[in-house]
Amino acid sequence: ESHTYLTAADLADPSKLMPINPDRNCIGVAHGQVKGTGGGKAREGNARLTEPVCATSTAVTAVDDDLLVKSLPNASPEARDALKTALNRALEDPRSARHFNTPTKLRMFLAQVSEETGGTLVREENLNYTPYVIKNNWGMRFTAEQALRFGRIDPKVKRDMKLLLSLANQPVSSVPKDRLGDRKLGLVIRDRLGLKTKAEIDALPNHAADQVSIAGHAYGDRYGNRPGVGVDADGWRYRGRGPIQVTFRSNYKAASETTNERLLPPGHERVDYEAQPELLMEPEHAAYASVAYWINADIGGTMDRYSSGPRATQEGLIETVTKKVNGGQINSKKRKQEWLRIGAVTDLGNC
């Protein structure tokens, strides 16, 4: 049987490992492939990413339907309309506009929310992770036994684990540079999960992921979440939702405050996302909460500070913002592809 080795970003993307999105964080969404990024065009795109961040005096004062249709073609009209309203409310607010009011800033926001939800905008986090992704992402929060007990294991996962283990057992000098990330995951399987042989992997019992337990251990007892495991525990209640995957009680609370103070139109009923986290599954509130999170995280300010540096590149800017969005570089490759795609299909790349 022939196998194709996947990159580390691909292995974190469930659409590469299972028919429907097992390890990504959007239920039922298989990420569409960005067209025009293969071969020479991929190299051209990579070259553009190394170029300096665009310096512009062009001001964005409003977002229209055409921009969002081109940027987010997979989103429903209702979701796009809700995002347009939330963004325009932010652009009208003097305290909030600076986070979205240049082509580069708006392009970044759209690229990040497109990657986070497969372009659909309204999704909640799917914690259908494999043991090695759990241990890689939240190593100190899960013992090896817990990662193997809570993570999804099936024949396809076992096959991927054996491929990764084979890379871990090769000398690093013999592994192609673009597969070093895969080798790192193989080391997680071998050294942190304690699975030294393919026979040990084959012997693992098959079972579905225990997503409630994963949420409790991954998200409990931090950022306002109380410790505990269960459907009523904070880790599960405040899992990722909406275009930017707002996570943790403190972020839900802060999103409520910013939405009420800056974004809601006059006369709109005040919201309490901390008390009703499920509201973020509705297009209107998903949009408001994600725009509020972007403001609260000072991502516009982060972009300004990075871009003012002498060696600022587009790629570096994406990586800087990605760390603010999810704490690491999960699916960084896809975020860069979305940045390039949106720049190509809209005027946001012509600054």
Side-chain angles (χ1 to χ4, degrees):
E1 183 177 10
S2 63
H3 301 290
T4 300
Y5 287 108
L6 304 177
T7 67
D10 291 336
L11 286 162
D13 178 354
S15 65
K16 298 299 180 79
L17 300 179
M18 292 284 286
I20 295 184
N21 221 11
D23 273 339
R24 262 300 279 138
N25 57 358
C26 306
I27 292 176
V29 177
H31 273 276
Q33 298 302 302
V34 178
K35 297 182 179 180
T37 58
K41 291 187 177 180
R43 289 188 290 273
E44 179 186 344
N46 290 336
R48 290 200 300 274
L49 288 173
T50 63
E51 293 178 357
V53 176
C54 182
T56 179
S57 59
T58 303
V60 174
T61 58
V63 173
D64 60 22
D65 292 324
D66 182 63
L67 174 67
L68 295 185
V69 168
K70 290 176 179 176
S71 300
L72 302 163
N74 294 332
S76 70
E78 182 183 10
R80 283 197 298 262
D81 190 61
L83 187 62
K84 180 182 72 172
T85 298
L87 285 169
N88 284 332
R89 291 292 300 170
L91 287 166
E92 292 166 5
D93 179 71
R95 299 163 294 175
S96 306
R98 69 186 184 90
H99 298 284
F100 307 96
N101 64 356
T102 71
T104 297
K105 289 177 179 178
L106 186 56
R107 179 183 178 186
M108 181 65 74
F109 177 80
L110 295 173
Q112 292 285 340
V113 301
S114 181
E115 191 286 327
E116 286 286 335
T117 66
T120 61
L121 295 181
V122 183
R123 282 289 177 268
E124 67 180 348
E125 184 175 9
N126 178 10
L127 291 148
N128 191 25
Y129 294 113
T130 60
Y132 61 88
V133 170
I134 291 172
K135 196 63 178 169
N136 185 63
N137 289 357
W138 302 290
M140 299 299 293
R141 291 186 156 263
F142 293 82
T143 65
E145 185 275 332
Q146 288 171 331
L148 290 167
R149 176 154 49 96
F150 301 148
R152 185 191 75 257
I153 300 175
D154 56 41
K156 179 67 168 59
V157 170
K158 291 179 181 179
R159 190 188 78 176
D160 293 327
M161 291 175 73
K162 288 185 287 186
L163 290 171
L164 293 170
L165 181 63
S166 69
L167 277 180
N169 290 331
Q170 295 178 27
V172 66
S173 60
S174 68
V175 177
K177 184 177 180 180
D178 63 349
R179 292 178 183 167
L180 290 176
D182 300 346
R183 185 177 186 275
K184 178 184 174 183
L185 290 175
L187 292 173
V188 171
I189 292 168
R190 188 188 72 187
D191 300 337
R192 300 173 72 184
L193 293 179
L195 299 171
K196 309 295 185 184
T197 67
K198 294 181 179 180
E200 290 177 314
I201 293 173
D202 284 330
L204 295 171
N206 295 329
H207 53 73
D210 182 347
Q211 297 191 39
V212 174
S213 292
I214 292 171
H217 285 273
Y219 298 144
D221 200 23
R222 57 185 181 133
Y223 297 108
N225 281 0
R226 294 165 295 191
V229 175
V231 294
D232 295 323
D234 285 358
W236 181 250
R237 289 194 71 211
Y238 300 105
R239 62 193 184 277
R241 293 185 180 91
I244 211 69
Q245 293 289 280
V246 177
T247 310
F248 297 112
R249 177 190 284 266
S250 62
N251 286 330
Y252 276 74
K253 180 179 180 180
S256 299
E257 294 169 353
T258 298
T259 298
N260 287 325
E261 294 171 6
R262 303 191 186 188
L263 303 178
L264 292 180
H268 194 292
E269 182 179 358
R270 291 176 66 85
V271 299
D272 187 345
Y273 299 139
E274 183 182 12
Q276 296 179 283
E278 65 279 358
L279 284 177
L280 270 66
M281 289 304 295
E282 299 177 10
E284 177 188 29
H285 297 293
Y288 277 131
S290 291
V291 169
Y293 174 85
W294 197 267
I295 295 167
N296 293 338
D298 189 31
I299 294 180
T302 297
M303 293 180 69
D304 288 337
R305 288 187 290 274
Y306 175 84
S307 300
S308 65
R311 299 181 181 177
T313 65
Q314 295 181 41
E315 184 171 42
L317 182 64
I318 296 166
E319 292 172 354
T320 298
V321 172
T322 296
K323 184 169 179 60
K324 294 279 285 189
V325 170
N326 71 21
Q329 295 299 322
I330 295 175
N331 288 329
S332 179
K333 180 180 178 180
K334 285 185 178 293
R335 296 172 200 272
K336 293 168 187 175
Q337 289 175 340
E338 286 302 283
W339 167 268
L340 292 172
R341 180 187 64 80
I342 290 171
V345 300
T346 72
D347 292 334
L348 297 179
N350 301 326
C351 58

